Amino acid sequence: MREKIIAGNWKMNNGIDESKQLLKELLALITPLDLKVKKIIVSPSFTNLHGVSKYLDNTKISVAAQNLHQENSGAYTGEVSAHMLKSINVNKVILGHSERRMLFGETNDILASKVNASLKHSMEIIFCIGESLEDRESKSHFEVVSSQIKEGLFHLSNKDFNNIILAYEPVWAIGTGKTASPEQAQEMHNYIRNIISDKYGDDIAQKTSIIYGGSCNPNNALDIFSKKDVDGGLIGGASLKAKDFLSIINCLN
Ligand code: 3PY
């Protein structure tokens, strides 16, 4: 059985008070059963990680950072390391979001180092991959996604690969209001599972959760999550409203 996962990527939104208010509303709505059978994650900005992780102590909602630096410490002004995150009990991280790749120049090589740094501290990684519109229109989307996975992750041992959740986020569906159709999502998720199987074997491929991201909302989540290789979602804007986030959680069975 694969883990079913809904993760809210809050991006650069919310101060600490707004974050706690959002979580208060979410905790009032979410059922113990949802928390038992689904893995719910929220990912606030660095400044709110400590406050949010304390606030969520003794709940089953867990917290992920949106990034980290590949070095443990040193003269890297403005950066945050895996060691620092672990020191405040944050043991999950999102790596390789397309906004980090495009706006902050994160290459597959840099991401491979970030993956290694995270694993040194036994962190669980939500590793994002996805093609641009240009890639899709030129029919190179499978090749692009395959390189992102191979160059970012395929140096890992079988054991380390168990700490990876894949998030397929087509770049053309991020912040555009466009979503991949359920069939497009399934086609890519199935392709991803096959390349994992070729490298790590079918057991690991069948155990790896592959979640969908990119303008996922209460109206489209049910159809996307109904596909057999889609194990949940990485949710942007809709995770900033407790009711919408909960509706999306409820779409996952
Ligand atoms: C989106 O839904 O737009 C996202 O980028 C989720 O990470």
Side-chain angles (χ1 to χ4, degrees):
M1 268 290 272
R2 288 195 288 275
E3 268 185 328
K4 298 285 180 183
I5 300 165
I6 300 285
N9 176 9
W10 292 359
K11 307 192 181 184
M12 197 175 73
N13 291 293
N14 287 341
I16 190 65
D17 292 344
E18 294 148 323
S19 303
K20 287 182 182 168
Q21 181 59 33
L22 171 57
L23 293 168
K24 187 176 168 195
E25 289 168 25
L26 183 65
L27 285 165
L29 296 169
I30 202 162
T31 66
L33 182 65
D34 272 337
L35 290 168
K36 191 164 167 219
V37 298
K38 300 167 195 170
K39 186 161 174 170
I40 311 297
I41 303 170
V42 293
S43 188
S45 60
F46 283 131
T47 53
N48 295 330
L49 278 170
H50 194 212
V52 164
S53 83
K54 278 187 159 255
Y55 191 83
L56 290 175
D57 239 10
N58 303 320
T59 73
K60 287 197 147 174
I61 300 180
S62 47
V63 177
Q66 296 174 16
N67 179 32
L68 53 71
H69 193 270
Q70 57 272 34
E71 298 298 331
N72 217 36
S73 62
Y76 300 99
T77 303
E79 293 294 322
V80 173
S81 69
H83 163 71
M84 292 167 169
L85 294 171
K86 282 305 285 264
S87 75
I88 54 164
N89 293 324
V90 172
N91 53 26
K92 294 182 173 44
V93 63
I94 299 174
L95 292 178
H97 191 280
S98 63
E99 286 153 12
R100 302 278 337 153
R101 290 177 187 263
M102 288 187 316
L103 304 174
F104 302 96
E106 295 195 357
T107 60
N108 290 337
D109 273 2
I110 294 174
L111 289 167
S113 322
K114 292 189 177 207
V115 165
N116 295 343
S118 311
L119 291 173
K120 234 184 239 165
H121 291 272
S122 307
M123 294 181 78
E124 188 169 34
I125 300 164
I126 301 177
F127 191 80
C128 303
I129 64 242
E131 81 284 0
S132 65
L133 186 57
E134 215 182 1
D135 299 328
R136 186 159 274 267
E137 285 177 345
S138 64
K139 304 206 181 330
S140 50
H141 46 300
F142 291 118
E143 207 181 299
V144 167
V145 167
S146 160
S147 311
Q148 290 171 339
I149 296 176
K150 288 182 179 160
E151 292 171 30
L153 295 174
F154 275 9
H155 59 288
L156 298 180
S157 66
N158 287 26
K159 179 171 167 275
D160 281 343
F161 201 81
N162 287 323
N163 285 13
I164 307 294
I165 298 162
L166 270 298
Y168 170 57
E169 300 206 309
V171 179
W172 46 272
I174 294 180
T176 59
K178 287 186 190 153
T179 16
S181 68
E183 291 69 30
Q184 285 171 319
Q186 169 58 25
E187 186 185 35
M188 184 59 88
H189 283 227
N190 179 252
Y191 173 79
I192 293 169
R193 204 174 301 289
N194 284 339
I195 58 175
I196 297 172
S197 173
D198 289 345
K199 168 79 179 164
Y200 292 104
D202 206 44
D203 259 17
I204 291 187
Q206 292 306 328
K207 271 192 231 146
T208 303
S209 295
I210 307 174
I211 61 178
Y212 174 82
S215 300
C216 199
N217 63 45
N219 298 323
N220 57 30
L222 189 63
D223 287 343
I224 295 173
F225 297 166
S226 70
K227 295 296 176 189
K228 83 174 183 26
D229 285 296
V230 178
D231 304 308
L234 179 56
I235 317 301
S239 69
L240 296 169
K241 291 194 186 116
K243 275 197 183 140
D244 287 352
F245 195 49
L246 186 84
S247 305
I248 295 173
I249 292 170
N250 288 337
C251 289
L252 186 65
N253 282 309

